Amino acid sequence: MAPTPPTDAELDTFIRARLASLGIDLDQLPAGTTADPVTGSPGRDSVLASLRSFVRSTVTALAAYQLPAPAGTDPAVAMALSQQPAPMLYPSISTEWRDR
């Protein structure tokens, strides 16, 4: 059975929670879809509509992406390889942190 796509209200809750975790409060924007004539800030409803569109289109594609496996890799192993952490630019920093 295919998952049911989220409703606008569910996406609004998800978006507000993710933004709140970053310290962003959408209630600071003017209500409605009209931009604030003084500051130029977009309306809250237009921001949420834009973010809902982004989540519906982009997040699904990003979640389905898999890193390409090296040539000759068994397809059964390729999925597990794509779940490995990315190489670090400075692994010594991570190694030192984990040893403590």
Side-chain angles (χ1 to χ4, degrees), residues 10-24 26:
E10 291 169 336
L11 280 178
D12 287 351
T13 302
F14 168 75
I15 291 166
R16 285 179 175 274
R18 293 292 298 193
L19 291 176
S21 71
L22 299 171
I24 299 171
L26 288 181

Side-chain angles (χ1 to χ4, degrees), residues 51-71:
L51 290 172
R52 280 193 304 267
S53 173
F54 172 79
V55 169
R56 282 192 173 114
S57 62
T58 308
V59 173
T60 305
L62 289 175
Y65 178 76
Q66 290 184 0
L67 292 171

